[in-house]
Amino acid sequence: MRYLLATAAALAVAGPACAQDITLKPVAEARLRYEHADQEGLAQKADALTVRARAGVQAVGAEWSATVVGQGTLAIIDDYHDGVNGAATRPIVADPRNVALYVAQMQYRGAALTLTGGRQKIALDDERFVGNVAFRDNAQTFDAVRAELTPARGVKLDVAYAWSVRTIWGIDGNGARQQAVSGDNIFANLSWVMPLGTLTGFAYLVDQDEAAAQGYRLSSQSYGVRLTGARPLLESVTLSYQFSYARQSDYRRNPGDYAADYWLADATLEVRGWRLNAGYEVLGASHGAALTGFQTPLGANFKFQGWADKLLTTPPDGIRDLYVGGGHGWKELGPLSAVALQAVWHRFESDRIDRHYGDEWDFLASAKVGKMALSLRYARYDAKAFATDTHKFWAQIDWSY
């Protein structure tokens, strides 16, 4: 009901758009991906060959636009547990079959103000707290209204209210993995571009109604600050950096009484196509009666703490992730463009007590050919005191119009 009212309100305000010249732009995307997973303790391996297609149209005027995109996901090879279907004797490959309305939004874009209403993608900062989860076939969108205001040069206020989260679990989602989770979520960012970098203060209020999805226990309020920037050091040498801190506590109907801290320090050195990266990220253990860790249920968590997905949910004793990586990129390499090779090593430890969870190696090779993006990805998690040994492999082709 709230979705219909918000859409109706956006249409009512859109009256001036009718007087504008409208350009129709088609939206078309396709993905073919093979994923293999082998997890110690499960009787069988997982093999998934999935195809995802998106199609829609965007009507664009001078200031107003409307976008509608549908998507469908099918499994050509379905020897896997997708989280809601299939035998739990195989590892999870979180790409369930699905047919859905992916985006249905109306947007006003003025000189200093952008307003977006309807089903939309929201990806804030590095997507640690709020993201699109674009790696998964079904991705994550929000039924929301969003305002982005630039009152002065270098200053931006970004505020969104989302009453429904459209999850990656698709039309068969149920129980703890529902298709949609309702609530009253508020995302607020205030950023300022300075000589040192971009300083952002944020507040993310996550309110999840469904108890079956652990929504009560995942409801939280997080307040923090983030600094990102880059500096040339020498000719062809650039240092980029990011620092974040946040404090999280229980919110609304969450029965727990807790508070936990988040820290991130990350630096990247780039020299003539070579890239060296190191960082330390902490999702702290709780202080208070509830035994929990700092949680980011709406983030694009696949991007963080290893691609093997062993730490998507923070354990009660928290996580400390020390990582070091490197790689090389080429603008052109024969018929290929944007060619990149990357390797990252993680050491995972607990925050509350002295436990070495495990180590992980991640490798990625990617390139583009015309409208296609190609990638090969591998992850190997070696368990010490948390979860089990796991290795995964992906081969992926993305195409967009």
Side-chain angles (χ1 to χ4, degrees), residues 271-286:
V271 184
R272 300 184 184 276
W274 292 94
R275 186 173 183 270
L276 178 63
N277 170 252
Y280 190 60
E281 185 182 41
V282 178
L283 282 79
S286 63

Side-chain angles (χ1 to χ4, degrees), residues 54-310:
R54 290 178 182 154
V57 65
Q58 185 177 38
V60 182
E63 295 179 326
W64 290 88
S65 67
T67 306
V68 177
V69 179
Q71 71 174 9
T73 302
L74 293 174
I76 301 172
I77 298 175
D78 61 356
D79 296 330
Y80 68 101
H81 178 36
D82 65 16
V84 293
N85 299 299
T89 56
R90 298 181 187 272
I92 289 181
V93 175
D95 292 324
R97 65 180 183 177
N98 191 34
V99 177
L101 185 62
Y102 180 59
V103 171
Q105 70 174 45
M106 178 160 278
Q107 184 176 85
Y108 165 79
R109 185 178 292 273
L113 176 65
T114 298
L115 297 173
T116 309
R119 186 162 301 169
Q120 58 189 282
K121 296 184 287 185
I122 300 179
L124 300 177
D125 298 323
D126 59 354
E127 299 189 83
R128 192 20 148 167
F129 292 87
V130 180
N132 181 229
V133 198
F135 180 77
R136 299 275 39 130
D137 282 346
N138 296 321
Q140 175 175 268
T141 54
F142 300 83
D143 292 344
V145 290
R146 182 182 184 187
E148 299 168 78
L149 176 64
T150 308
R153 184 176 180 180
V155 178
K156 180 180 179 181
L157 175 64
D158 188 335
V159 180
Y161 165 69
W163 58 88
S164 180
V165 181
R166 315 301 295 193
T167 75
I168 66 173
W169 300 112
I171 55 177
D172 293 331
N174 60 78
R177 300 186 176 111
Q178 298 188 17
Q179 176 187 12
V181 179
S182 61
D184 296 300
N185 305 285
I186 299 174
F187 315 132
N189 267 10
L190 178 60
S191 61
W192 175 34
V193 179
M194 310 181 299
L196 185 62
T198 300
L199 181 65
T200 303
F202 57 83
Y204 301 128
L205 311 182
V206 177
D207 173 35
Q208 299 195 351
D209 290 343
E210 283 77 10
Q214 299 183 18
Y216 295 166
R217 294 193 177 277
L218 291 178
S219 295
S220 64
Q221 50 187 331
S222 301
Y223 305 92
V225 63
R226 173 178 169 82
L227 175 67
T228 61
R231 283 275 190 239
L233 299 182
L234 299 170
E235 184 178 356
S236 301
V237 180
T238 302
L239 173 67
S240 56
Y241 45 85
Q242 52 180 324
F243 305 96
S244 294
Y245 169 76
R247 179 78 166 178
Q248 182 179 94
S249 59
D250 53 283
Y251 183 61
R252 299 290 290 269
R253 285 180 290 175
N254 189 331
D257 178 12
Y258 80 97
D261 295 316
Y262 171 84
W263 299 87
L264 171 68
D266 180 281
T268 300
L269 195 64
E270 297 186 55
V271 184
R272 300 184 184 276
W274 292 94
R275 186 173 183 270
L276 178 63
N277 170 252
Y280 190 60
E281 185 182 41
V282 178
L283 282 79
S286 63
H287 306 280
L291 186 63
T292 185
F294 195 109
Q295 304 293 340
T296 59
L298 302 185
N301 293 345
F302 177 83
K303 296 173 59 176
F304 304 90
Q305 298 178 336
W307 301 330
D309 283 350
K310 310 309 290 186

Side-chain angles (χ1 to χ4, degrees), residues 21-41:
D21 293 331
I22 301 298
T23 301
L24 296 181
K25 298 181 179 180
V27 177
E29 301 176 17
R31 170 185 287 175
L32 179 68
R33 177 162 67 208
Y34 169 72
E35 181 170 343
H36 170 82
D38 184 359
Q39 181 175 320
E40 184 179 330

